[in-house]
Amino acid sequence: MFALVDGNNFYVSCERAFQPQLEGLPVVVLSNNDGCVVSRSAEAKALGIPMGEPFFRIRPLVAQHGVRVLSSNYALYGDMSRRLMGYLADVAPEVEIYSIDEAFLNLTGMERWLGGLEAYGRRIRREIRQWTHIPTCVGVAPTRTLAKLANRVAKKTPDLEGVLYLDSEEKRQWALEQVAVEDVWGIGHQYAARLHAHGVTTAAQLARVSEAWARKHLGGVVGARLVRELQGVACHSLAPSEDGTLSRQSIACTRTFGQTLTAYPEVLSAVATFTTRAAEKLRRQQSAVQLLTVFISKNRFGVEPPPYTASVTLSLPVATSDTAELIRYARAGLRQIWRPDTAYKKAGVVFDGLEAAGQQQLSLFEPTAQTRQRSKLMVDLDQLNARYGAGSVGFAVAQRYKYSKAPSWAGRKEMRTPAYTTNLEELWRINMDGTLLKSRG
């Protein structure tokens, strides 16, 4: 048996956890640069605000209905996700983190220890709500695809109170009838259009097609496995790491700038900062990177002609998690693709070819003692930043604008709430009478 636990309207729920006055109000959270809607409360959805809609298009609706609009607060969301996933790792034998607000649990053979899995799902939902204030839905089923589908039905059906356990053929058939084929996990727009053309419009109808038909029309063995999963035959398992989480196979840090940039030092500072953030994530999962990609993009809606994006991938001689080394290679990559007198709107770095730290193939000519010293330096760097706050200690090229009001490449976030849990200057303060909570910022 598998379970999928999913945070409802996760970004909005994180904001409401620290601003309970937002409960019951229409709330939307915007993407980087306050560009598009990336999270909506149920009340905002009821107003017809679409996911991904540019903010400027919904301004009249926002003004008309008093919608609360917030900038993304990724430090808060990431920390709340860590708390959610940490709880799940404590209550389930195997956990696979699927996204910032979703995780699969492997509950195979656990019925005898957990009792009824529906009661277990309700306990998970209740305790997450109690400890993090994040509302969730839980879908439990014999396969991952059905667990995902059960979660979706639980979210859309108030009478289920957030939990659906597909423990019988009757429940499975009923749940399949509730889901349109385009909403099945793994069915994209092209396959959905093809299925509709063949008269397959629901998950139940898709589950009834033959394996040969699925192979022919849904991409071979991948489509056949999807259909078998809908029929209740598990074709996919979890791949958790030893600590109950799934290490990332690639790490990326990308941002759209708040303004177009033409000066090389400013773009270099942004790329170095993104490399620093990605390297911190790399070390947290105890990995080293072999392939580093740097890209910079022009504004697609500006006057610059295509191509809009330039990128370069560098193969490192030795896989590393050393921030200084990674910045050095990122700088070399940026130099290769940089074009003077060009206005850039976005940049980023992507780490691929990840290896377990301490097990990578070392250079024949690099002194082992020097490698150990560099590793110890990174440990000390991470400990200092953990103690005194993210970014307290770093490399000069990435700290170029640290003490200015905001880096020239920083995105707009005019409506961002405080980083309540990760920034000492923005922690909540309790008055002596204990009646008022507010941030120090």
Side-chain angles (χ1 to χ4, degrees):
M1 281 290 177
F2 298 89
L4 178 68
V5 182
D6 176 25
N8 299 343
N9 313 319
F10 186 69
Y11 292 175
V12 169
S13 296
C14 290
E15 299 287 356
R16 283 176 166 175
F18 294 90
Q19 299 184 80
Q21 70 273 18
L22 296 179
E23 290 286 350
L25 300 178
V27 182
V28 298
V29 175
L30 303 179
S31 62
N32 285 326
N33 274 322
D34 294 341
C36 301
V37 176
V38 293
S39 185
R40 308 160 293 163
S41 67
E43 297 79 6
K45 294 176 183 177
L47 295 176
I49 297 176
M51 179 67 94
E53 187 76 356
F55 178 48
F56 73 87
R57 290 183 180 172
I58 64 169
R59 283 184 182 274
L61 202 59
V62 167
Q64 179 183 354
H65 296 281
V67 179
R68 282 295 307 272
V69 180
L70 302 172
S71 301
S72 295
N73 188 344
Y74 292 117
L76 174 64
Y77 309 152
D79 187 62
M80 294 297 283
S81 175
R82 179 186 61 80
R83 298 177 187 211
L84 170 62
M85 301 306 171
Y87 164 80
L88 293 176
D90 285 341
V91 299
E94 291 182 328
V95 179
E96 178 183 331
I97 298 175
Y98 183 65
S99 68
I100 191 172
D101 62 341
E102 289 181 280
F104 283 100
L105 315 181
N106 188 350
L107 305 179
T108 303
M110 296 301 295
E111 292 91 339
R112 61 179 297 186
W113 307 105
L114 298 174
L117 293 185
E118 182 172 350
Y120 172 73
R122 297 195 183 282
R123 174 193 140 201
I124 286 178
R125 188 169 186 265
R126 182 177 63 253
E127 291 183 352
I128 291 174
R129 181 72 166 177
Q130 178 183 353
W131 296 352
T132 69
H133 295 278
I134 301 295
T136 56
C137 284
V138 182
V140 184
T143 72
R144 283 161 49 107
T145 304
L146 281 175
K148 183 87 168 174
L149 183 141
N151 184 284
R152 182 181 185 86
V153 175
K155 189 175 295 186
K156 301 290 184 181
T157 312
D159 291 345
L160 295 174
E161 298 181 342
V163 178
L164 177 57
Y165 177 26
L166 302 183
D167 58 341
S168 68
E169 180 62 20
E170 291 75 17
K171 283 186 178 180
R172 183 181 72 87
Q173 286 294 335
W174 174 81
L176 290 170
E177 292 287 355
Q178 310 308 306
V179 178
V181 71
E182 58 266 25
D183 294 327
V184 173
W185 186 36
I187 298 295
H189 294 298
Q190 291 184 344
Y191 281 137
R194 185 180 302 177
L195 289 168
H196 275 271
H198 285 87
V200 179
T201 60
T202 68
Q205 292 173 324
L206 179 59
R208 288 194 289 267
V209 305
S210 68
E211 183 174 333
W213 193 94
R215 285 176 177 271
K216 180 178 179 180
H217 298 283
L218 290 177
V221 68
V222 174
R225 287 175 178 170
L226 188 153
V227 170
R228 288 180 64 80
E229 287 248 326
L230 290 177
Q231 294 170 346
V233 180
C235 298
H236 303 288
S237 60
L238 270 60
S241 63
E242 292 180 357
D243 62 355
T245 63
L246 184 66
S247 296
R248 305 180 189 188
Q249 301 304 305
S250 66
I251 293 175
C253 185
T254 69
R255 294 289 185 275
T256 300
F257 305 145
Q259 56 184 307
T260 55
L261 301 179
T262 57
Y264 177 80
E266 293 177 325
V267 177
L268 174 60
S269 176
V271 169
T273 301
F274 304 157
T275 304
T276 299
R277 297 290 172 265
E280 291 168 351
K281 296 178 183 179
L282 192 69
R283 291 193 293 273
R284 277 200 294 269
Q285 71 172 43
Q286 299 182 352
S287 296
V289 59
Q290 181 72 53
L291 300 174
L292 184 153
T293 299
V294 181
F295 75 85
I296 46 178
S297 299
K298 299 183 288 188
N299 186 353
R300 293 178 178 272
F301 306 101
V303 297
E304 296 279 352
Y308 296 107
T309 298
S311 66
V312 61
T313 299
L314 305 176
S315 179
L316 280 57
V318 177
T320 183
S321 61
D322 186 328
T323 299
E325 281 290 290
L326 293 170
I327 289 178
R328 181 165 68 87
Y329 285 107
R331 184 202 297 262
L334 181 61
R335 282 176 179 159
Q336 291 184 36
I337 57 178
W338 178 260
R339 297 293 179 267
D341 303 320
T342 301
Y344 291 104
K345 187 64 176 176
K346 184 177 182 179
V349 296
V350 182
F351 293 168
D352 289 301
L354 304 190
E355 303 177 10
Q359 299 180 22
Q360 67 268 41
Q361 181 67 50
L362 300 179
S363 169
L364 178 63
F365 304 103
E366 185 174 356
T368 305
Q370 181 178 341
T371 302
R372 286 199 295 265
Q373 289 177 349
R374 299 294 304 184
S375 298
K376 180 62 167 60
L377 175 62
M378 292 300 105
V379 171
D380 294 340
L381 179 66
D382 292 337
Q383 289 177 346
L384 286 170
N385 285 325
R387 180 173 181 179
Y388 296 106
S392 296
V393 182
F395 292 85
V397 65
Q399 304 283 75
R400 176 184 175 92
Y401 300 99
K402 179 175 175 60
Y403 299 103
S404 62
K405 186 174 182 180
S408 56
W409 47 265
R412 293 188 300 272
K413 46 185 178 181
E414 299 168 357
M415 297 164 283
R416 185 183 72 82
T417 52
Y420 298 105
T421 63
T422 56
N423 189 326
L424 288 174
E425 297 303 318
E426 299 180 11
L427 293 180
W428 270 7
R429 182 173 58 195
I430 305 177
N431 287 346
M432 293 297 294
D433 60 7
T435 58
L436 181 64
L437 299 176
K438 62 181 181 179
S439 71
R440 297 170 58 190

